[in-house]
Amino acid sequence: MSNYYKVRKIKYKKGKKVVPTFLEYTGRHKNVATEMQLFVYDSENLTECADHKCQDLLSIVDFNKVNWLNIHGLNETTVIKEVGDFLKVDNFMLGDILNTTKRTKLDEYHDVLFFNVKSLLPIENTDNINVEQISFLLKNGILSSFQEKKSDFFTHIRERIRTHSGIVREKKADYLLYLLLDAIMENFYITIENEEDRVEALINLSKTNTKPEILEQIEKHRDNFNFLKRSIIPLRDSLYSIKSMKDDNVFNAIEKENYSFFDRLHQKCLELLEQIEYDITTLDSASNFYFSAQSHKMNEIMKTLTVVSVFFMPLTFIVGVYGMNFENMPELKWEYGYFYVLAGMFGLFVGMILYFKWKKWY
């Protein structure tokens, strides 16, 4: 089943209280097995491990190098708990990793930086948006990423690490975090571009089609843009919080020279929000155009009906006069009265048509 969102009102629902130590995955991909992949690298060496048990992978971790532990599938909570125990992070962070209903957030707790973000991509041949939660833990040179399922979001980053392309092998784990977040933000650009293409086609269609289905599609895309906006705003706020850490001189997991990279991500969020505001305004214009077209169409119909009724009003009057059946109506006994009345009625009808055309009333 595709993982897509559905806009709905948030209602408070009282449920059972959960013990803080209890971990449960709340996402859709409950049949995805948990797999781990570990990259241990520096500028000279690279070790890549995959499909091993947690204990085997964690024993390869080298705190003198950059360690990227990527986990696919969150259904096996015992594995997530083992990773958390190894990194010595609190259960509430592990709970936020497994709870996919949480909004994007950033937590700075002692020596741990926790990042929780939504990755969005359009679902092919539909107007729906695929949503996947991706979480990050940065501690002691180890960057752990948690994905609900396998995807190709970070494929190009893995290749850059393997081929020693760019400066990724020269930098620490905080720069790797920047690259991963930047890859996720590229998905926002892809989603917005896809929405804009669909909206452009929809606006062109609305100029020739005034069926109610057009308005339904306009409202659907408006919901999509509002959902994108609600997803980006907390990410923008989280990135701004990272910028503020630079002046705290407390959290040292991010090198001072690398804060500028996160500032770029913050600027990208601002650009995305500005573009979404523009797209929502475009949809508002499309809605106004749709209602204007509907109103114009209705006015044209009413004008046509009014003109037709005005044409027949004097004719109806004449018919009514000669239908009164008074005895003293001399023209009733005239031999050619019927034909002259018909001719007069026809002439009056034609004259009204010419007069209306001269006045440009239709």
Side-chain angles (χ1 to χ4, degrees):
M1 179 183 294
S2 296
N3 184 16
Y4 61 89
Y5 86 98
K6 183 179 180 182
V7 176
R8 60 185 185 276
K9 293 182 178 179
I10 298 176
K11 297 181 179 180
Y12 174 75
K13 184 177 180 181
K14 186 176 181 180
K16 65 178 182 179
K17 293 183 178 180
V18 179
V19 180
T21 56
F22 180 75
L23 299 176
E24 180 182 5
Y25 171 56
T26 62
R28 296 174 179 268
H29 306 283
K30 296 186 180 296
N31 296 324
V32 178
T34 302
E35 299 179 6
M36 295 192 298
Q37 180 184 42
L38 178 64
F39 285 85
V40 181
Y41 64 86
D42 57 15
S43 59
E44 302 295 333
N45 301 296
L46 168 65
T47 302
E48 180 179 350
C49 304
D51 301 328
H52 291 281
K53 293 182 179 180
C54 182
Q55 294 84 352
D56 298 335
L57 284 177
L58 298 180
S59 63
I60 305 173
V61 169
D62 186 347
F63 290 99
N64 295 317
K65 299 179 180 180
V66 177
N67 302 270
W68 176 23
L69 177 62
N70 190 34
I71 300 174
H72 301 101
L74 305 179
N75 192 40
E76 298 178 31
T77 57
T78 54
V79 176
I80 306 301
K81 185 68 169 63
E82 289 177 0
V83 174
D85 291 340
F86 176 80
L87 297 175
K88 297 181 180 178
V89 297
D90 290 341
N91 273 353
F92 80 88
M93 289 187 180
L94 300 180
D96 286 343
I97 292 172
L98 298 174
N99 187 355
T100 59
T101 62
K102 292 285 187 178
R103 71 196 297 264
T104 295
K105 62 180 295 189
L106 170 72
D107 276 334
E108 174 194 353
Y109 188 72
H110 297 316
D111 56 346
V112 181
L113 181 67
F114 171 70
F115 217 118
N116 195 12
V117 65
K118 304 294 183 184
S119 177
L120 309 181
L121 275 176
I123 299 178
E124 190 174 357
N125 299 323
T126 72
D127 291 332
N128 295 320
I129 297 177
N130 184 72
V131 184
E132 180 183 347
Q133 177 171 288
I134 302 178
S135 304
F136 301 99
L137 286 173
L138 177 61
K139 180 180 180 180
N140 297 332
I142 302 177
L143 177 62
S144 303
S145 55
F146 301 83
Q147 299 178 248
E148 293 188 70
K149 58 183 179 65
K150 281 188 175 181
S151 61
D152 57 355
F153 298 159
F154 308 139
T155 301
H156 64 289
I157 298 176
R158 295 187 184 94
E159 289 303 315
R160 288 174 64 177
I161 294 175
R162 291 171 182 142
T163 59
H164 205 326
S165 300
I167 61 173
V168 59
R169 293 271 293 271
E170 310 295 333
K171 292 285 188 177
K172 299 290 183 66
D174 55 342
Y175 181 78
L176 178 60
L177 174 61
Y178 154 74
L179 291 179
L180 299 181
L181 290 174
D182 187 56
I184 293 173
M185 291 193 66
E186 287 300 317
N187 294 339
F188 283 101
Y189 282 100
I190 294 172
T191 305
I192 291 176
E193 183 178 357
N194 179 78
E195 284 293 312
E196 289 176 339
D197 291 342
R198 289 179 174 273
V199 167
E200 182 179 359
L202 183 60
I203 291 175
N204 293 332
L205 180 62
S206 67
K207 295 178 180 179
T208 58
N209 190 337
T210 56
K211 292 183 178 180
E213 291 79 6
I214 298 296
L215 185 60
E216 292 178 5
Q217 293 181 45
I218 290 175
E219 292 304 315
K220 171 64 177 176
H221 288 291
R222 194 197 309 277
D223 290 340
N224 285 352
F225 279 122
N226 284 324
F227 179 74
L228 281 163
K229 184 178 179 180
R230 292 197 303 272
S231 300
I232 295 173
I233 286 177
L235 178 58
R236 177 203 62 187
D237 296 340
S238 298
L239 290 169
Y240 183 81
S241 298
I242 289 181
K243 289 173 57 178
S244 65
M245 293 178 186
K246 182 178 180 180
D247 302 323
D248 292 343
N249 295 322
V250 175
F251 190 75
N252 57 6
I254 299 178
E255 296 183 336
K256 286 188 177 297
E257 62 184 21
N258 290 335
Y259 278 101
S260 59
F261 295 112
F262 294 94
D263 184 54
R264 294 179 190 177
L265 296 181
H266 181 256
Q267 292 299 320
K268 282 188 175 183
C269 285
L270 297 180
E271 293 174 2
L272 288 170
L273 290 173
E274 289 178 0
Q275 185 62 37
I276 289 174
E277 289 293 342
Y278 172 80
D279 292 328
I280 292 176
T281 302
T282 302
L283 282 175
D284 291 337
S285 299
S287 297
N288 294 334
F289 179 85
Y290 173 84
F291 287 115
S292 297
Q294 288 285 69
S295 178
H296 177 72
K297 182 179 179 181
M298 181 61 67
N299 289 337
E300 289 295 315
I301 293 173
M302 294 304 297
K303 184 174 72 173
T304 301
L305 294 176
T306 302
V307 169
V308 171
S309 64
V310 169
F311 285 165
F312 283 95
M313 280 177 63
L315 305 182
T316 304
F317 173 75
I318 295 173
V319 171
V321 169
Y322 286 100
M324 292 187 293
N325 295 322
F326 285 109
E327 185 175 351
N328 189 16
M329 294 182 71
E331 59 269 31
L332 292 178
K333 297 180 180 179
W334 185 29
E335 180 179 359
Y336 301 105
Y338 172 71
F339 300 103
Y340 275 95
V341 170
L342 287 180
M345 293 172 65
F346 179 76
L348 179 62
F349 183 77
V350 172
M352 293 183 66
I353 291 177
L354 295 175
Y355 179 76
F356 273 55
K357 276 190 171 293
W358 177 61
K359 287 289 188 179
K360 297 181 179 180
W361 287 351
Y362 73 95

